mmCIF file of all heavy atoms in Angstrom:
data_model
loop_
_atom_site.group_PDB
_atom_site.id
_atom_site.type_symbol
_atom_site.label_atom_id
_atom_site.label_comp_id
_atom_site.label_asym_id
_atom_site.label_seq_id
_atom_site.Cartn_x
_atom_site.Cartn_y
_atom_site.Cartn_z
ATOM 1 N N GLU H 526 -5.229 -8.061 -11.187
ATOM 2 C CA GLU H 526 -5.730 -8.003 -9.831
ATOM 3 C C GLU H 526 -4.758 -8.584 -8.823
ATOM 4 O O GLU H 526 -3.822 -9.316 -9.271
ATOM 5 C CB GLU H 526 -7.127 -8.720 -9.711
ATOM 6 C CG GLU H 526 -8.215 -8.078 -10.472
ATOM 7 C CD GLU H 526 -9.573 -8.767 -10.163
ATOM 8 O OE1 GLU H 526 -9.867 -9.829 -10.773
ATOM 9 O OE2 GLU H 526 -10.287 -8.238 -9.318
ATOM 10 N N ASN H 527 -4.943 -8.315 -7.551
ATOM 11 C CA ASN H 527 -4.162 -9.001 -6.510
ATOM 12 C C ASN H 527 -4.346 -10.487 -6.657
ATOM 13 O O ASN H 527 -5.500 -10.932 -6.768
ATOM 14 C CB ASN H 527 -4.533 -8.516 -5.149
ATOM 15 C CG ASN H 527 -4.109 -7.077 -4.886
ATOM 16 O OD1 ASN H 527 -4.919 -6.208 -4.916
ATOM 17 N ND2 ASN H 527 -2.825 -6.871 -4.694
ATOM 18 N N GLN H 575 6.955 -4.139 -3.177
ATOM 19 C CA GLN H 575 5.820 -3.343 -2.648
ATOM 20 C C GLN H 575 5.997 -3.102 -1.122
ATOM 21 O O GLN H 575 5.782 -1.994 -0.618
ATOM 22 C CB GLN H 575 4.502 -4.061 -2.941
ATOM 23 C CG GLN H 575 3.286 -3.295 -2.448
ATOM 24 C CD GLN H 575 1.998 -4.053 -2.744
ATOM 25 O OE1 GLN H 575 2.002 -4.987 -3.495
ATOM 26 N NE2 GLN H 575 0.944 -3.632 -2.176
ATOM 27 N N GLU H 656 4.412 -1.407 -7.164
ATOM 28 C CA GLU H 656 3.594 -0.344 -6.476
ATOM 29 C C GLU H 656 4.507 0.789 -5.953
ATOM 30 O O GLU H 656 4.506 1.123 -4.757
ATOM 31 C CB GLU H 656 2.804 -0.919 -5.347
ATOM 32 C CG GLU H 656 1.717 -1.917 -5.789
ATOM 33 C CD GLU H 656 0.577 -1.247 -6.583
ATOM 34 O OE1 GLU H 656 0.457 -0.022 -6.558
ATOM 35 O OE2 GLU H 656 -0.151 -2.008 -7.197
ATOM 36 N N SER H 687 1.442 -1.502 -10.989
ATOM 37 C CA SER H 687 0.710 -0.482 -10.249
ATOM 38 C C SER H 687 -0.780 -0.716 -10.439
ATOM 39 O O SER H 687 -1.253 -1.162 -11.484
ATOM 40 C CB SER H 687 1.062 0.909 -10.747
ATOM 41 O OG SER H 687 0.286 1.883 -10.059
ATOM 42 N N HIS H 688 -1.530 -0.393 -9.338
ATOM 43 C CA HIS H 688 -3.017 -0.415 -9.467
ATOM 44 C C HIS H 688 -3.587 0.955 -9.670
ATOM 45 O O HIS H 688 -4.790 1.127 -9.800
ATOM 46 C CB HIS H 688 -3.627 -1.019 -8.182
ATOM 47 C CG HIS H 688 -3.260 -2.437 -7.983
ATOM 48 N ND1 HIS H 688 -3.497 -3.394 -8.922
ATOM 49 C CD2 HIS H 688 -2.677 -3.084 -6.945
ATOM 50 C CE1 HIS H 688 -3.106 -4.597 -8.474
ATOM 51 N NE2 HIS H 688 -2.569 -4.410 -7.288
ATOM 52 N N ARG H 689 -2.705 1.957 -9.677
ATOM 53 C CA ARG H 689 -3.130 3.353 -9.944
ATOM 54 C C ARG H 689 -3.076 3.574 -11.448
ATOM 55 O O ARG H 689 -2.106 4.130 -11.998
ATOM 56 C CB ARG H 689 -2.260 4.306 -9.200
ATOM 57 C CG ARG H 689 -2.296 4.078 -7.701
ATOM 58 C CD ARG H 689 -1.252 4.882 -6.910
ATOM 59 N NE ARG H 689 -1.703 6.248 -6.650
ATOM 60 C CZ ARG H 689 -1.102 7.068 -5.812
ATOM 61 N NH1 ARG H 689 -0.029 6.639 -5.113
ATOM 62 N NH2 ARG H 689 -1.545 8.286 -5.599
ATOM 63 N N ARG H 826 0.164 -2.139 6.676
ATOM 64 C CA ARG H 826 -0.385 -3.463 7.061
ATOM 65 C C ARG H 826 0.717 -4.431 7.507
ATOM 66 O O ARG H 826 0.494 -5.256 8.355
ATOM 67 C CB ARG H 826 -1.206 -4.084 5.903
ATOM 68 C CG ARG H 826 -0.465 -4.259 4.619
ATOM 69 C CD ARG H 826 -1.365 -4.915 3.577
ATOM 70 N NE ARG H 826 -0.731 -4.960 2.273
ATOM 71 C CZ ARG H 826 -0.994 -4.140 1.275
ATOM 72 N NH1 ARG H 826 -1.904 -3.228 1.424
ATOM 73 N NH2 ARG H 826 -0.363 -4.238 0.106
ATOM 74 N N GLY H 888 -0.762 -8.713 -1.774
ATOM 75 C CA GLY H 888 -0.994 -7.489 -1.030
ATOM 76 C C GLY H 888 -2.473 -7.225 -0.763
ATOM 77 O O GLY H 888 -2.843 -6.817 0.330
ATOM 78 N N GLY H 889 -3.319 -7.438 -1.777
ATOM 79 C CA GLY H 889 -4.726 -7.205 -1.620
ATOM 80 C C GLY H 889 -5.362 -8.123 -0.597
ATOM 81 O O GLY H 889 -6.211 -7.722 0.198
ATOM 82 N N ASN H 890 -4.960 -9.417 -0.627
ATOM 83 C CA ASN H 890 -5.499 -10.362 0.331
ATOM 84 C C ASN H 890 -4.995 -10.104 1.755
ATOM 85 O O ASN H 890 -5.697 -10.335 2.719
ATOM 86 C CB ASN H 890 -5.179 -11.774 -0.114
ATOM 87 C CG ASN H 890 -6.058 -12.228 -1.280
ATOM 88 O OD1 ASN H 890 -7.286 -12.163 -1.173
ATOM 89 N ND2 ASN H 890 -5.448 -12.635 -2.359
ATOM 90 N N GLN H 892 -4.477 -7.077 2.798
ATOM 91 C CA GLN H 892 -5.317 -5.933 3.253
ATOM 92 C C GLN H 892 -6.691 -6.413 3.749
ATOM 93 O O GLN H 892 -7.197 -5.948 4.755
ATOM 94 C CB GLN H 892 -5.475 -4.953 2.122
ATOM 95 C CG GLN H 892 -6.263 -3.697 2.510
ATOM 96 C CD GLN H 892 -5.529 -2.853 3.544
ATOM 97 O OE1 GLN H 892 -4.433 -2.374 3.328
ATOM 98 N NE2 GLN H 892 -6.116 -2.697 4.712
ATOM 99 N N LYS H 893 -7.228 -7.394 3.032
ATOM 100 C CA LYS H 893 -8.505 -7.946 3.398
ATOM 101 C C LYS H 893 -8.426 -8.639 4.781
ATOM 102 O O LYS H 893 -9.318 -8.563 5.602
ATOM 103 C CB LYS H 893 -9.032 -8.937 2.377
ATOM 104 C CG LYS H 893 -9.420 -8.325 1.059
ATOM 105 C CD LYS H 893 -9.929 -9.427 0.141
ATOM 106 C CE LYS H 893 -10.164 -8.947 -1.221
ATOM 107 N NZ LYS H 893 -10.617 -10.028 -2.165
ATOM 108 N N PRO H 912 -7.200 2.187 3.177
ATOM 109 C CA PRO H 912 -7.549 0.775 3.040
ATOM 110 C C PRO H 912 -7.346 0.201 1.672
ATOM 111 O O PRO H 912 -7.262 -1.016 1.519
ATOM 112 C CB PRO H 912 -9.030 0.772 3.398
ATOM 113 C CG PRO H 912 -9.525 2.141 3.033
ATOM 114 C CD PRO H 912 -8.364 3.057 3.393
ATOM 115 N N THR H 913 -7.212 1.032 0.625
ATOM 116 C CA THR H 913 -7.053 0.488 -0.732
ATOM 117 C C THR H 913 -5.665 0.702 -1.306
ATOM 118 O O THR H 913 -5.487 0.468 -2.486
ATOM 119 C CB THR H 913 -8.104 1.146 -1.643
ATOM 120 O OG1 THR H 913 -7.853 2.548 -1.773
ATOM 121 C CG2 THR H 913 -9.539 0.893 -1.180
ATOM 122 N N ARG H 914 -4.718 1.114 -0.461
ATOM 123 C CA ARG H 914 -3.348 1.344 -0.947
ATOM 124 C C ARG H 914 -2.790 -0.037 -1.451
ATOM 125 O O ARG H 914 -2.746 -1.001 -0.731
ATOM 126 C CB ARG H 914 -2.473 1.915 0.146
ATOM 127 C CG ARG H 914 -1.000 2.071 -0.264
ATOM 128 C CD ARG H 914 -0.241 2.845 0.761
ATOM 129 N NE ARG H 914 -0.609 4.271 0.642
ATOM 130 C CZ ARG H 914 -0.242 5.194 1.545
ATOM 131 N NH1 ARG H 914 0.475 4.820 2.623
ATOM 132 N NH2 ARG H 914 -0.564 6.446 1.371
ATOM 133 N N GLY H 915 -2.298 -0.024 -2.704
ATOM 134 C CA GLY H 915 -1.639 -1.195 -3.245
ATOM 135 C C GLY H 915 -2.517 -2.354 -3.601
ATOM 136 O O GLY H 915 -2.046 -3.458 -3.758
ATOM 137 N N ILE H 916 -3.867 -2.152 -3.735
ATOM 138 C CA ILE H 916 -4.737 -3.222 -4.146
ATOM 139 C C ILE H 916 -5.395 -2.880 -5.441
ATOM 140 O O ILE H 916 -5.563 -1.684 -5.808
ATOM 141 C CB ILE H 916 -5.727 -3.628 -3.027
ATOM 142 C CG1 ILE H 916 -6.755 -2.504 -2.754
ATOM 143 C CG2 ILE H 916 -5.004 -4.062 -1.778
ATOM 144 C CD1 ILE H 916 -7.800 -2.918 -1.746
ATOM 145 N N ASP H 917 -5.899 -3.911 -6.157
ATOM 146 C CA ASP H 917 -6.438 -3.702 -7.518
ATOM 147 C C ASP H 917 -7.851 -3.195 -7.490
ATOM 148 O O ASP H 917 -8.515 -3.103 -6.442
ATOM 149 C CB ASP H 917 -6.372 -5.049 -8.258
ATOM 150 C CG ASP H 917 -7.222 -6.111 -7.597
ATOM 151 O OD1 ASP H 917 -8.485 -6.051 -7.754
ATOM 152 O OD2 ASP H 917 -6.695 -6.940 -6.894
ATOM 153 N N VAL H 918 -8.332 -2.823 -8.699
ATOM 154 C CA VAL H 918 -9.616 -2.201 -8.808
ATOM 155 C C VAL H 918 -10.746 -3.071 -8.300
ATOM 156 O O VAL H 918 -11.708 -2.575 -7.672
ATOM 157 C CB VAL H 918 -9.877 -1.722 -10.266
ATOM 158 C CG1 VAL H 918 -9.906 -2.898 -11.242
ATOM 159 C CG2 VAL H 918 -11.111 -0.907 -10.421
ATOM 160 N N GLY H 919 -10.681 -4.365 -8.553
ATOM 161 C CA GLY H 919 -11.722 -5.247 -8.093
ATOM 162 C C GLY H 919 -11.728 -5.387 -6.583
ATOM 163 O O GLY H 919 -12.804 -5.329 -5.943
ATOM 164 N N ALA H 920 -10.519 -5.487 -5.963
ATOM 165 C CA ALA H 920 -10.443 -5.574 -4.510
ATOM 166 C C ALA H 920 -10.852 -4.258 -3.860
ATOM 167 O O ALA H 920 -11.423 -4.211 -2.786
ATOM 168 C CB ALA H 920 -8.998 -5.939 -4.101
ATOM 169 N N LYS H 921 -10.568 -3.151 -4.557
ATOM 170 C CA LYS H 921 -11.003 -1.824 -4.024
ATOM 171 C C LYS H 921 -12.528 -1.775 -3.885
ATOM 172 O O LYS H 921 -13.068 -1.325 -2.887
ATOM 173 C CB LYS H 921 -10.526 -0.688 -4.925
ATOM 174 C CG LYS H 921 -9.037 -0.371 -4.824
ATOM 175 C CD LYS H 921 -8.701 0.777 -5.768
ATOM 176 C CE LYS H 921 -7.214 1.136 -5.614
ATOM 177 N NZ LYS H 921 -6.810 2.245 -6.467
ATOM 178 N N ILE H 922 -13.207 -2.230 -4.919
ATOM 179 C CA ILE H 922 -14.658 -2.193 -4.906
ATOM 180 C C ILE H 922 -15.222 -3.097 -3.797
ATOM 181 O O ILE H 922 -16.194 -2.752 -3.116
ATOM 182 C CB ILE H 922 -15.226 -2.622 -6.299
ATOM 183 C CG1 ILE H 922 -14.942 -1.496 -7.284
ATOM 184 C CG2 ILE H 922 -16.723 -2.845 -6.251
ATOM 185 C CD1 ILE H 922 -15.240 -1.795 -8.723
ATOM 186 N N ILE H 924 -13.714 -3.550 -0.927
ATOM 187 C CA ILE H 924 -13.561 -2.774 0.300
ATOM 188 C C ILE H 924 -14.567 -1.683 0.408
ATOM 189 O O ILE H 924 -15.161 -1.480 1.484
ATOM 190 C CB ILE H 924 -12.099 -2.166 0.338
ATOM 191 C CG1 ILE H 924 -11.045 -3.259 0.430
ATOM 192 C CG2 ILE H 924 -12.000 -1.188 1.532
ATOM 193 C CD1 ILE H 924 -11.021 -4.040 1.694
#
Side-chain angles (χ1 to χ4, degrees):
E526 293 189 277
N527 291 104
Q575 179 180 350
E656 296 292 345
S687 178
H688 295 305
R689 301 171 81 167
R826 59 178 173 257
N890 284 306
Q892 183 65 62
K893 291 180 187 178
T913 63
R914 175 170 287 169
I916 65 176
D917 62 78
V918 62
K921 284 181 180 181
I922 290 172
I924 296 293

